C-alpha cells in the first residue's frame, strides 16, 4: 500500500493525497490515487473465496483466459482471469455454459480502477442450466427437420433490395453497409431497427422480420449483431424467433456472433455468417470480381472463336489443296470416259439383243406360217363350209343341193353340192378329192 505523507500548508486546503477517503469533504477532497489505493487495501483483506456459477464467457488471449461467471439463480455476473500458469494446472475442457466451482481472489488495479477475480482453482459441477435448456431445444428443432440443409433457401445472385435487422447506430449496421457498398455500390437497403439484447430483443426482432418478409421488394434479410457473450445472445436462441425464421419465405442470413458463438438462429437460418462483414460479402457479389470474371469469359470466348475460325480456315485450305477441288474438271473427265464406255457397251448389248430377238421372231413367224391354214390353202387346198359355218369333213355333211361356201387361198366362192360321189366318180388326174372345190 502506498504511504502518503501529507505536507499541509497553513491557511491552505490540505493536499488531496493527505486526506483519507473517510475524512474527505467538499473543502478537502481526497485524490483518485488515494481512493483507489484504499479500495485495494480493503479488498486484499478478503482473501480467497469459493464461488459457484455458470461460465458465460471464456476467451483465450495471450495464453491467459478472460471470462465471466454468472449466478445460477439471477442475472448477477463477475469477471475473472486465469493466468497461464494456473491454466496449465486446470482441465482443458472448460467452455461456455459449464457449471463450475472456482476458488477466486479479488484483485483491484489502482491505476485503472478495474476490478476482477483471479482464479486459482476451478472444477466442473455439471452442465449449466442455460446450456442444458438450449441443447434440449436444439435437439427438438433438429428432430423436427428445421436444421435440414434441404429446406434452406438459396441466396439470390444479386439482390435488388436487402432487408437488414440490427441495432440502431450499431457497429454491425455500419459494417454491413460499408462492406456491401464497397462490393456493389448500387446496393439498396431496407433497415428495421430492433433491440439486440434484453427483454425487447425477441418481440422487436419478430416484428421487424414480419415486416421485411412481407415486403415484395426485399430479396434477402440479414439479422446482424456482431457477437457478445452467450448471456447477451440468448434472445437469438428464443424458440419463437427460431420458428419464425424457419417459416419465413425470404432467404435469411444470420450474422449474430463470432466463430465461437452459436445461437440457435445460426442453425435455422438459410446462411450463417461469422460476422456482419462476412454477411455483406455473402449477400452481394464483388463488382470488381464480376467485371474480372466477365473480362475473363470474354477473353476465353474470343480465344475459342479465334481458334475455331483459324481451324476452319485451315480445314478449307486443306480441302482446297486436294486435287479433286484444285482441278474439279479432271474428275468430270474421268467420269465422262466411264459414262461413254458404259453407254457404248449398253448400245452393243441392246443391238445384240435386238438382233437375237429379230432372228427368233423370224423363226417363230416361219414356224407359225408353216402351221397356218393359209399355207395349206396356198398349196391348193380348200375349205368347204355349209351354212352356219360348219366345216365339211365328211361328204355326208353335204347332200345334194346343199349350199357350200368354198374358201381358197385367194378368197372364197359359193357352190351347190351334187351329193357324195363314189370312188368311180373321182377325177382321173388323181388330184385331191376331199375338200377340193
Amino acid at each position: 500500500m502506498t504511504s502518503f505523507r501529507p505536507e499541509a500548508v497553513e491557511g491552505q486546503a490540505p493536499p488531496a493525497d493527505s486526506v483519507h477517503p473517510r475524512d474527505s469533504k467538499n473543502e478537502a477532497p481526497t485524490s483518485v490515487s488515494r481512493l483507489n489505493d484504499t479500495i485495494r487495501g480493503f479488498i486484499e483483506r478478503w482473501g480467497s473465496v469459493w464461488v459457484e456459477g455458470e461460465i458465460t464467457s471464456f476467451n483465450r488471449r495471450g495464453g491467459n483466459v478472460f471470462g465471466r461467471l454468472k449466478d445460477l439463480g439471477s442475472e448477477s455476473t463477475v469477471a475473472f482471469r486465469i493466468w497461464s500458469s494456473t491454466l496449465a494446472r486446470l482441465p482443458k475442457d472448460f467452455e461456455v455454459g459449464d457449471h463450475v466451482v472456482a476458488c477466486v481472489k479479488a484483485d483491484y488495479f489502482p491505476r485503472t480502477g478495474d476490478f476482477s477475480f483471479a482464479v486459482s482453482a476451478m472444477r466442473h459441477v455439471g452442465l449449466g442450466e442455460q446450456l442444458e435448456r438450449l441443447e434440449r431445444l436444439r435437439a427438438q428443432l433438429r428432430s423436427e427437420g428445421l436444421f435440414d440443409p434441404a429446406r434452406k433457401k438459396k441466396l439470390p445472385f444479386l439482390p435488388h433490395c436487402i432487408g437488414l435487422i440490427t441495432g440502431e447506430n450499431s457497429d454491425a449496421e455500419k459494417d454491413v453497409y460499408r462492406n456491401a457498398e464497397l462490393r456493389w455500390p448500387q446496393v439498396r437497403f431496407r433497415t428495421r431497427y430492433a433491440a439486440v439484447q434484453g427483454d425487447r430483443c425477441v418481440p422487436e426482432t419478430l416484428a421487424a422480420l414480419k415486416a421485411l418478409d412481407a415486403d415484395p421488394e426485399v430479396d434477402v434479410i440479414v439479422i446482424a449483431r456482431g457477437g457478445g457473450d452467450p448471456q447477451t445472445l440468448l434472445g437469438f436462441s428464443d424458440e419463437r424467433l427460431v420458428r419464425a425464421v424457419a417459416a419465413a419465405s425470404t432467404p435469411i442470413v444470420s450474422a449474430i456472433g463470432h466463430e465461437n458463438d452459436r445461437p440457435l438462429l445460426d442453425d435455422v437460418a438459410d446462411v450463417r455468417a461469422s460476422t456482419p462483414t462476412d454477411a455483406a460479402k455473402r449477400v452481394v457479389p464483388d463488382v470488381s470480381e464480376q467485371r474480372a470474371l466477365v473480362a475473363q469469359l470474354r477473353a476465353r470466348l474470343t480465344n475459342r472463336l479465334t481458334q475455331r475460325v483459324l481451324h476452319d480456315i485451315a480445314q478449307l485450305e486443306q480441302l482446297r489443296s486436294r486435287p479433286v477441288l484444285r482441278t474439279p474438271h479432271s474428275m468430270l473427265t474421268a467420269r465422262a470416259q466411264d459414262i461413254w464406255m458404259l453407254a457404248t457397251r449398253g448400245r452393243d448389248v441392246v443391238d445384240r439383243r435386238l438382233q437375237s430377238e429379230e432372228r427368233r421372231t423370224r423363226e417363230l413367224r416361219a414356224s407359225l406360217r408353216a402351221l397356218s391354214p393359209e399355207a395349206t390353202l396356198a398349196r391348193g387346198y380348200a375349205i368347204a363350209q355349209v351354212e352356219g359355218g360348219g366345216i365339211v369333213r365328211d361328204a355326208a355333211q353335204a347332200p345334194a343341193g346343199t349350199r357350200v361356201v368354198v374358201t381358197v387361198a385367194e378368197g372364197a366362192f359359193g357352190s351347190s353340192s351334187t351329193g357324195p360321189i363314189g370312188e368311180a366318180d373321182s377325177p382321173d388326174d388323181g388330184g385331191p378329192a376331199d375338200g377340193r372345190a
Side-chain angles (χ1 to χ4, degrees):
M1 187 173 178
T2 305
S3 298
F4 296 95
R5 300 181 181 222
E7 296 180 2
V9 178
E10 186 177 355
Q12 297 182 3
D17 280 347
S18 66
V19 179
H20 195 278
R22 66 172 176 268
D23 299 328
S24 63
K25 54 186 177 179
N26 185 30
E27 297 80 6
T30 188
S31 66
V32 173
S33 177
R34 181 74 181 263
L35 175 62
N36 280 350
D37 195 71
T38 303
I39 294 173
R40 181 182 183 184
F42 175 76
I43 289 175
E44 284 180 343
R45 294 196 294 270
W46 290 359
S48 297
V49 178
W50 284 93
V51 62
E52 179 182 3
E54 178 185 345
I55 298 177
T56 60
S57 178
F58 200 83
N59 300 314
R60 299 175 185 269
R61 294 199 300 267
N64 306 314
V65 170
F66 299 85
R68 299 194 70 83
L69 200 62
K70 175 183 172 298
D71 184 71
L72 298 178
S74 67
E75 299 299 321
S76 299
T77 63
V78 294
F80 67 83
R81 300 187 312 277
I82 306 176
W83 301 118
S84 57
S85 56
T86 303
L87 187 63
R89 296 184 283 102
L90 298 180
K92 308 299 182 183
D93 58 347
F94 287 112
E95 59 183 19
V96 172
D98 286 355
H99 182 185
V100 298
V101 171
C103 181
V104 300
K105 184 177 181 181
D107 200 355
Y108 187 80
F109 296 89
R111 188 172 63 84
T112 60
D114 293 334
F115 175 79
S116 66
F117 290 89
V119 176
S120 58
M122 181 180 287
R123 63 179 177 83
H124 286 282
V125 174
L127 187 65
E129 181 181 355
Q130 290 180 347
L131 180 60
E132 184 178 3
R133 185 173 63 254
L134 290 181
E135 287 304 317
R136 286 198 302 267
L137 179 58
R138 191 189 305 272
Q140 177 186 347
L141 297 176
R142 180 178 289 109
S143 66
E144 295 178 13
L146 268 62
F147 301 164
D148 189 355
R151 58 158 295 275
K152 295 182 183 293
K153 295 174 284 294
K154 186 178 180 181
L155 298 184
F157 169 70
L158 180 59
H160 295 86
C161 181
I162 300 173
L164 177 62
I165 301 174
T166 188
E168 188 173 3
N169 296 324
S170 63
D171 291 338
E173 178 186 14
K174 298 173 184 177
D175 287 344
V176 172
Y177 283 171
R178 180 174 60 254
N179 288 279
E181 291 171 354
L182 286 175
R183 294 173 65 82
W184 200 274
Q186 303 302 321
V187 66
R188 293 191 300 115
F189 282 93
R190 191 152 297 173
T191 304
R192 294 287 185 274
Y193 295 115
V196 292
Q197 66 184 59
D199 296 336
R200 295 187 297 116
C201 174
V202 175
E204 291 185 7
T205 304
L206 284 172
L209 176 62
K210 182 178 180 181
L212 292 177
D213 190 37
D215 192 333
E217 294 187 2
V218 175
D219 299 318
V220 62
I221 299 174
V222 177
I223 304 177
R225 186 191 189 281
D229 61 75
Q231 184 67 28
T232 60
L233 298 181
L234 284 178
F236 298 101
S237 293
D238 188 90
E239 185 176 359
R240 294 169 295 168
L241 178 59
V242 170
R243 292 190 180 279
V245 169
S249 59
T250 307
I252 295 179
V253 178
S254 172
I256 301 304
H258 298 295
E259 288 295 342
N260 57 341
D261 301 324
R262 196 75 181 188
L264 294 181
L265 180 63
D266 284 349
D267 295 322
V268 77
D270 298 295
V271 173
R272 189 247 179 186
S274 58
T275 62
T277 299
D278 183 41
K281 293 179 179 180
R282 289 173 177 268
V283 169
V284 294
D286 190 337
V287 64
S288 58
E289 292 179 359
Q290 297 304 313
R291 286 176 175 173
L293 179 60
V294 171
Q296 180 183 1
L297 293 175
R298 291 181 62 183
R300 289 174 57 185
L301 178 60
T302 301
N303 186 41
R304 290 288 182 87
L305 289 176
T306 302
Q307 290 180 354
R308 181 59 184 268
V309 171
L310 293 177
H311 177 267
D312 291 346
I313 290 175
Q315 288 288 96
L316 288 175
E317 291 297 331
Q318 183 180 1
L319 292 174
R320 290 178 59 188
S321 65
R322 295 181 179 180
V324 68
L325 294 180
R326 187 173 60 250
T327 55
H329 58 276
S330 61
M331 179 179 64
L332 297 178
T333 301
R335 295 296 183 270
Q337 181 69 20
D338 293 342
I339 291 173
W340 180 83
M341 293 177 63
L342 292 173
T344 301
R345 185 181 303 169
R347 282 194 296 270
D348 292 343
V349 170
V350 171
D351 289 344
R352 287 195 297 270
R353 183 64 179 268
L354 288 175
Q355 292 173 5
S356 174
E357 294 302 324
E358 286 178 356
R359 286 194 302 269
R360 180 169 176 77
T361 302
R362 286 195 298 269
E363 291 173 357
L364 292 174
R365 185 181 290 117
S367 299
L368 182 60
R369 187 178 296 115
L371 299 174
S372 173
E374 292 182 357
T376 304
L377 294 178
R379 293 199 301 272
Y381 290 89
I383 300 174
Q385 293 174 289
V386 296
E387 291 181 0
I391 298 176
V392 179
R393 291 184 173 81
D394 190 346
Q397 292 179 249
T402 302
R403 297 292 298 176
V404 178
V405 177
V406 180
T407 301
V408 294
E410 299 295 336
F413 60 90
S415 66
S416 179
S417 174
T418 60
I421 60 174
E423 188 175 337
D425 295 331
S426 299
D428 295 339
D429 56 2
D434 295 335
R436 291 276 187 167

